[in-house]
Amino acid sequence: MTTAKSGRRKGASESRQEILEAARALFAEHGYQRTTIRLIAEHAGVDPSLVIYFFASKEHLFAAAMPEPSEAALAAPKLMAALPRAEAAQAIGRRILEAVNSPGASNVLGIIRAASSKPEAVAQLREVFVSRMMLPMITELGLSRPKERAVLLSSIVTGMTFVHEMLDIKTEWPTLDETAELELIAKAIELVLTVDLD
Amino acid sequence: MTTAKSGRRKGASESRQEILEAARALFAEHGYQRTTIRLIAEHAGVDPSLVIYFFASKEHLFAAAMPEPSEAALAAPKLMAALPRAEAAQAIGRRILEAVNSPGASNVLGIIRAASSKPEAVAQLREVFVSRMMLPMITELGLSRPKERAVLLSSIVTGMTFVHEMLDIKTEWPTLDETAELELIAKAIELVLTVDLD
DNA sequence: ATCCAAATTAAACAGCCGTTCAATTAATGA
DNA sequence: TCATTAATTGAACGGCTGTTTAATTTGGAT
């Protein structure tokens, strides 16, 4: 019995997908530079050179691992279009906070960390985050100056996420009233959606 | 004439300070990992080993190079205490925006980039940014729930800075109305300062 | 004048990184 | 069946990193 060390494995291979998932998680958690190919390979249970075999380079892997906007985020605007503005603002606020605070799919923080650690990814980030998540929400509501509002909404969500997760406010200041904060963020979003910009 | 290559230089040495300034600028611009000791040394016009000689390690240098809150930021709260709340909110908003948009002393972005690229710096960041900049402003105004408001104010400023500088909105979407945005940010700050959190 | 400490550099070290190469095994199609 | 392609590994390479060591020059105190 010779222990088969190298060579192709039996059955269909899921390595490519596993590498992609490991890369997504690790890039989001540690940023670009700190996420080594060796670490990705380890999490995917494969050899580092297999990562290069599938994705040619770390750059290409990073591009392929860019997080997509979640289905909830893409489906939200159509739901919101039917509601009155004040209610829509509250609903959007709640949905954004859910997405930000959900443990698994906190891809907003991943996007932020990726962009701050890799300037070349900024254009990609703007496309995904501002243009595909925020702008559709706002244009669907038929508001004036959609670009301005999209940028402002992105600012609020980004700041929220950054301060919350990155500064680890919760564990450091446990006295913070979470519901009060949620309420205020909703009001800020409502302000962005209802303020007269002309 | 032997070209004196090594050994102490004549006159008083400013190398330590020059290293510190180069480090501050480079950490703010490129984050922790991308800023190499060799790069800092080059900008300071010294040998890389001199950086270690003065600061013992890159970690210590980073700690020593942490940006301090500007004098304007520290002086602001006393000025604001005298004004009515709505006016104070507008004034604080303008001052924050000036600090964020000023080309030289844009240390807010530096703080953000440092923290996102080096998780160990997060505690230091929270101390400088939230506790020493935002909290004094708010407690001086005698508002309720100062910690909540400080966190929220930090969120807004952080998000503003991040989206503006990091995503390079200006050069990409030149149609954005800058004054309208400034107006709205002031309103958001006013909201944070005036909203009833109880 | 002399001695020690401070400042400075050049050279080198070990460690990690992304990537490449060659070898090996399994699936696939002619 | 047999040649080709895909999947996989281990080993290695060259480059960059933070850091150390030794040597050299100056400043300051005795």
Side-chain angles (χ1 to χ4, degrees):
Chain A
M1 172 205 152
T2 55
T3 52
K5 290 178 182 176
S6 77
R8 188 170 181 166
R9 301 288 172 265
K10 288 184 184 178
S13 169
E14 299 163 8
S15 297
R16 193 195 152 92
Q17 191 59 29
E18 279 168 4
I19 290 170
L20 209 53
E21 284 167 16
R24 241 186 281 266
L26 291 169
F27 279 137
E29 190 178 350
H30 299 122
Y32 183 76
Q33 348 270 338
R34 315 196 104 182
T35 303
T36 69
I37 286 191
R38 282 171 169 85
L39 189 64
I40 294 171
E42 187 184 341
H43 275 239
V46 299
D47 192 88
S49 50
L50 195 63
V51 177
I52 301 291
Y53 171 75
F54 278 125
F55 296 96
S57 73
K58 189 181 177 183
E59 295 267 338
H60 283 81
L61 173 58
F62 181 79
M66 256 279 150
E68 290 289 308
S70 69
E71 293 195 17
L74 293 177
K78 286 167 190 169
L79 282 171
M80 299 306 144
L83 297 171
R85 285 186 189 183
E87 290 181 36
Q90 297 262 351
I92 286 180
R94 266 192 296 276
R95 201 166 285 238
I96 286 175
L97 288 179
E98 278 171 26
V100 165
N101 288 330
S102 72
S106 173
N107 54 6
V108 175
L109 183 61
I111 290 177
I112 293 174
R113 222 184 290 254
S116 58
S117 67
K118 188 158 195 303
E120 298 87 347
V122 159
Q124 215 168 343
L125 165 58
R126 184 174 43 236
E127 165 65 19
V128 170
F129 194 55
V130 181
S131 298
R132 290 184 62 185
M133 287 182 68
M134 300 303 160
L135 250 183
M137 280 197 194
I138 289 178
T139 50
E140 198 90 17
L141 289 171
L143 299 174
S144 68
R145 298 191 180 246
K147 281 185 182 178
E148 280 89 345
R149 293 183 207 269
V151 168
L152 290 164
L153 200 51
S154 302
S155 297
I156 290 177
V157 173
T158 302
M160 267 283 302
T161 308
F162 186 90
V163 172
H164 236 96
E165 308 272 309
M166 219 87 120
L167 301 198
D168 204 12
I169 293 288
K170 277 181 195 164
T171 60
E172 198 62 25
W173 285 349
T175 63
L176 266 184
D177 189 336
E178 204 167 317
T179 59
E181 187 187 1
L182 200 142
E183 176 73 14
L184 194 127
I185 293 296
K187 284 192 183 177
I189 292 172
E190 188 180 339
L191 178 63
V192 171
L193 296 182
T194 56
V195 73
D196 187 16
L197 283 178
D198 300 310
Chain B
M1 171 203 154
T2 55
T3 52
K5 290 178 181 177
S6 79
R8 189 169 180 166
R9 300 288 171 266
K10 290 183 184 177
S13 169
E14 299 163 8
S15 296
R16 195 193 150 92
Q17 191 59 30
E18 279 169 3
I19 290 170
L20 209 53
E21 284 167 16
R24 241 187 277 268
L26 290 169
F27 280 137
E29 191 178 350
H30 303 307
Y32 183 76
Q33 347 272 339
R34 316 195 93 166
T35 303
T36 68
I37 287 192
R38 283 172 169 85
L39 189 64
I40 294 170
E42 189 185 341
H43 275 239
V46 299
D47 191 88
S49 53
L50 196 64
V51 177
I52 301 290
Y53 172 74
F54 277 124
F55 295 96
S57 73
K58 188 182 177 182
E59 294 266 336
H60 284 81
L61 173 58
F62 181 78
M66 256 279 149
E68 291 288 309
S70 69
E71 294 195 16
L74 292 178
K78 287 168 191 169
L79 282 171
M80 300 306 145
L83 297 173
R85 285 186 188 180
E87 289 181 37
Q90 295 263 350
I92 288 180
R94 264 192 298 276
R95 200 167 285 238
I96 287 176
L97 287 179
E98 279 171 24
V100 165
N101 287 330
S102 73
S106 173
N107 55 4
V108 174
L109 183 63
I111 289 177
I112 293 173
R113 221 184 290 255
S116 58
S117 67
K118 188 160 192 304
E120 298 87 348
V122 159
Q124 215 168 345
L125 166 58
R126 183 174 44 234
E127 167 64 20
V128 170
F129 194 55
V130 180
S131 298
R132 291 183 62 184
M133 286 183 68
M134 300 302 161
L135 251 184
M137 279 196 193
I138 289 178
T139 51
E140 198 92 16
L141 290 172
L143 298 175
S144 68
R145 301 194 179 242
K147 281 186 181 177
E148 280 88 345
R149 293 183 207 269
V151 169
L152 289 165
L153 200 50
S154 302
S155 297
I156 289 177
V157 174
T158 302
M160 265 284 302
T161 308
F162 185 91
V163 172
H164 236 97
E165 308 273 308
M166 219 89 118
L167 301 198
D168 205 11
I169 293 288
K170 278 181 195 163
T171 59
E172 198 61 25
W173 284 350
T175 63
L176 266 185
D177 190 335
E178 205 167 317
T179 58
E181 188 187 2
L182 200 142
E183 176 74 13
L184 193 127
I185 293 296
K187 284 192 182 176
I189 292 172
E190 189 180 339
L191 177 63
V192 172
L193 297 182
T194 56
V195 74
D196 187 16
L197 283 177
D198 299 311

